Amino acid sequence: MGGQREKGDGADGDAALLRAVARGDAAAMTALYDRHAGWLHARLTRRCADPELVREVLQDTFVTVWRSAAGHRGQEAGGWLWTIAARRLVDARRAQERSARVVGPLPEPEAPGRYEPAPAPSAEDRVLAGLEYGDVGAALDRISPELREVLRATVVDGLTTREAARLLGIPEGTVKSRARRARAELRAALAQLNPSPLGGTA
């Protein structure tokens, strides 16, 4: 169908698809899924070893896109989609942790293997969660959106400068300079939110 031609349309093609999705066009939604599901799945798999959870998060991401395409404000579609997927992953992991706590205490030692405690959140998980909650989230809200996008791509996603540049549709040099500015602004915002005589010793 028109998918082959649209593949070369880049950001313009994505924007047109999202406008059509916002009007309830299911074929546009299918085309958007075909274009982006592969790399989203690969990136989610890099930060989550549970294939079932990855599948669930991917599905939830596109359900969210279907419902909120009208809220897309023209930013690069890949970055917008990844922001949704990363938030869904954080939500899903937090839900897993909550349900693991509800399960209760470990069984008696005679029944090994029946209970798998939830793994402690990795440093990356804590950063991801921090981007949505707590002081880091509040500080991020204070820096400009283009700097925030670069931090998410390079720190949370762990992308190289080149990958981040491709994802965000900006030159590599711009990624580097924005990353430097973003870190400086984030430090300043955190210092304002949480002043401490020891702040600055790392």
Side-chain angles (χ1 to χ4, degrees), residues 176-196:
K176 289 178 183 171
S177 61
R178 284 185 185 176
R180 279 194 299 272
R181 279 170 47 215
R183 287 169 193 273
E185 286 193 21
L186 188 62
R187 274 196 299 271
L190 278 167
Q192 283 181 342
L193 282 167
N194 198 9
S196 156

Side-chain angles (χ1 to χ4, degrees), residues 3 6-7 13-14 17-18 21 25-42 44 54-66 77 81:
E6 277 187 325
K7 204 100 172 154
D14 283 337
L17 285 173
L18 281 164
V21 170
D25 184 335
M29 185 69 207
T30 300
L32 194 72
Y33 181 91
D34 289 345
R35 184 183 282 195
H36 292 284
W39 70 263
L40 279 170
H41 185 276
L44 286 166
V54 167
R55 193 189 60 74
E56 208 176 281
V57 168
L58 187 65
Q59 184 177 355
D60 195 22
T61 297
F62 281 98
V63 168
T64 303
V65 169
W66 176 254
L81 287 165

Side-chain angles (χ1 to χ4, degrees), residues 1-186:
M1 326 258 282
Q4 285 313 102
R5 189 183 57 78
E6 277 187 325
K7 204 100 172 154
D9 288 348
D12 291 341
D14 283 337
L17 285 173
L18 281 164
R19 286 193 296 272
V21 170
R23 296 191 299 269
D25 184 335
M29 185 69 207
T30 300
L32 194 72
Y33 181 91
D34 289 345
R35 184 183 282 195
H36 292 284
W39 70 263
L40 279 170
H41 185 276
R43 193 165 295 154
L44 286 166
T45 301
R46 289 218 310 258
R47 41 206 52 30
C48 176
D50 179 348
E52 185 57 31
L53 188 63
V54 167
R55 193 189 60 74
E56 208 176 281
V57 168
L58 187 65
Q59 184 177 355
D60 195 22
T61 297
F62 281 98
V63 168
T64 303
V65 169
W66 176 254
R67 290 179 180 153
S68 61
H72 178 254
R73 297 186 190 91
Q75 68 267 50
E76 204 275 332
W80 185 68
L81 287 165
W82 177 245
T83 299
I84 294 171
R87 285 177 180 163
R88 292 295 159 268
L89 183 58
V90 169
D91 292 345
R93 282 194 164 146
R94 289 171 93 78
Q96 269 189 340
E97 284 172 27
R98 278 195 301 272
S99 64
R101 275 187 234 119
V102 169
V103 167
L106 288 166
E108 293 304 309
E110 302 93 68
R114 257 191 28 228
Y115 176 88
E116 287 262 337
S122 66
E124 184 175 74
D125 291 339
R126 289 195 295 274
V127 171
L128 268 169
L131 288 178
E132 304 304 320
Y133 308 100
D135 284 348
V136 177
L140 268 175
D141 286 341
R142 296 182 175 208
I143 71 175
S144 57
E146 67 270 12
L147 299 185
R148 196 167 31 212
E149 277 184 340
V150 166
L151 265 191
R152 282 203 167 103
T154 56
V155 176
V156 180
D157 296 352
L159 299 182
T160 64
T161 300
R162 178 177 296 174
E163 288 169 332
R166 263 207 316 265
L167 176 68
L168 300 172
I170 57 177
E172 290 180 39
T174 306
V175 171
K176 289 178 183 171
S177 61
R178 284 185 185 176
R180 279 194 299 272
R181 279 170 47 215
R183 287 169 193 273
E185 286 193 21
L186 188 62

